Amino acid sequence: MGNLVEVTLEIDAELKEQAERVCAENGLTLEAAFILFCKETVHLGRLPFELSDELR
């Protein structure tokens, strides 16, 4: 896969906990889900979902 880099970001603690729960229910860590998101974004050449106004 090449050289690895560390990515640091800040999100709301409650959002992180909720996201970790959803990821765990699907057999993923939050880190693995983020990597999949990045791979799918690159594969599609766009975000892998539609953005609604409430998500912005």
Side-chain angles (χ1 to χ4, degrees):
M1 186 183 338
N3 295 332
L4 299 178
V5 297
E6 185 172 328
V7 176
T8 303
L9 58 102
E10 293 182 8
I11 64 172
D12 179 78
E14 185 176 335
L15 176 61
K16 178 184 176 278
E17 290 174 14
Q18 292 171 342
E20 285 176 324
R21 256 193 309 277
V22 172
C23 289
E25 290 169 0
N26 288 280
L28 296 169
T29 62
L30 192 54
E31 179 181 4
F34 181 71
I35 292 168
L36 287 174
F37 166 78
C38 291
K39 287 181 177 182
E40 187 69 359
T41 298
V42 170
H43 173 75
L44 294 172
R46 61 173 178 78
L47 292 175
F49 49 81
E50 295 295 321
L51 285 176
S52 65
D53 286 337
E54 69 182 52
L55 290 177
R56 292 180 188 242

